[in-house]
Amino acid sequence: MGEQGPDGGRKSAKATKKAAPAERVTAEKDAVKKAAKKTPAKKAPAKKTAAPAKKATAKKATAKKATPAKKSTSARKTAPVAKRAVAKKPAVAPKKATAAVEDVAPAKTVAAKPPRGESRTALVRRARRINRELAEVYPYAHPELDFENPFQLVVATVLSAQTTDLRVNQTTPALFAKYPTPEDLAAANPEEVEEILRPTGFFRAKTKSVIGLSKALAEDFGGEVPGRLEDLVKLPGVGRKTAFVVLGNAFGRPGITVDTHFQRLVRRWEWTAETDPDKIEAAVGALFPKSDWTDLSHHVIWHGRRICHARKPACGACPIAPLCPAYGEGETDPEKARKLLKYEKGGFPGQRLNPPRAYLDAGGKPAPPLGSA
């Protein structure tokens, strides 16, 4: 082998050229092998190193790109979800509120919205003011059925259905003169009672009711009218309206009498929109203290009979016109309205044959007896 110089590679190449052909071939083969080994060794690591580096770089780049992409995607997804959630909440709430209201409204009836957009407080104030004004106009208001005891009142109230108090008052004197007690009326001949009650209309049904309630009083209550609502409504022909008339005026226990006048006026005044008597009673009762109920009934009924008539209200002569939402439904001209007034307000007799002293002192006139001119 030749000497190696500082560039040992070149001398080895020269020595290889001077060597024998066999050695030269061998040397060339070795050189090729070495070169082959060096080439892949250099390239392979470069490829292997480059590949992972590129892959790692690609992964990092992907990770960097992916991270914002995920954030933006999640943000995009989250944003609409949040908006939907906000949009859904107000949409669902009214449905629940409406459902609750639908469940409660039929039972309470009270719970519908106040008329004319009034708040509950404003409605209560207006209703109570109307009652105060009517109390000043009708300080002598009283039940317009003649009676001397609870028995006479319960019978007269049953007879007042589908007729006027005046006609009942003109009829009951003969009835009570002949049958003064529940025991007497319970044992009466139905045909004789029918003949007496004929002027009141529906006299056969009324005869059956008054004889039936008289038997119940005699057999179940010792001939005395009970002072409890639950007992009164068990009597034949006695409903809640009749029971409250008896309780309020014979026993001094508060009650609201929902007759046709009362129903008409409280709807005109928009105290309630209900049409069922029991629901009207509950709705109006909630506007007033219990202690006001009996007198309130008298005030409303008196006003309905004298001024706020069913067909043609005398709006021009109404003392509560500024508080009435229905003002203008009737005659608004003061002079023409005064001609529509009835009973003592119009100078005519009242409905009772024996009215209270306060009524007479206020200028009221007693009603004439049956058959008088």
Side-chain angles (χ1 to χ4, degrees), residues 133-134 136-138 140 144 261 264-265 268-269 299-321 324 327 329-332 334 336-346:
E133 296 281 347
L134 294 179
E136 292 181 7
V137 177
Y138 311 107
Y140 44 78
E144 293 193 275
H261 301 289
R264 179 177 74 254
L265 267 63
R268 278 181 177 172
W269 296 336
H299 298 155
V300 175
I301 292 170
W302 274 57
H303 191 63
R305 284 176 173 168
R306 285 151 177 77
I307 296 178
C308 196
H309 311 137
R311 294 183 181 177
K312 198 171 184 181
C315 293
C318 180
I320 59 165
C324 181
Y327 176 79
E329 287 186 9
E331 181 58 65
T332 57
K336 293 180 180 178
R338 284 194 194 95
K339 295 178 181 179
L340 299 175
L341 301 182
K342 294 183 179 180
Y343 308 121
E344 76 282 357
K345 293 299 177 185

Side-chain angles (χ1 to χ4, degrees), residues 97-159:
T98 304
V101 169
E102 286 173 359
D103 292 338
V104 172
K108 301 267 181 174
T109 77
V110 187
K113 291 181 180 179
R116 295 175 55 199
E118 289 177 317
S119 66
R120 177 72 179 175
T121 302
L123 174 59
V124 170
R125 287 176 178 170
R126 183 169 64 88
R128 294 185 182 184
R129 185 179 171 189
I130 286 175
N131 187 40
R132 289 195 301 271
E133 296 281 347
L134 294 179
E136 292 181 7
V137 177
Y138 311 107
Y140 44 78
H142 55 269
E144 293 193 275
L145 289 170
D146 284 321
F147 69 97
E148 295 178 357
N149 54 56
F151 171 63
Q152 290 185 2
L153 180 57
V154 70
V155 170
T157 308
V158 170
L159 296 178

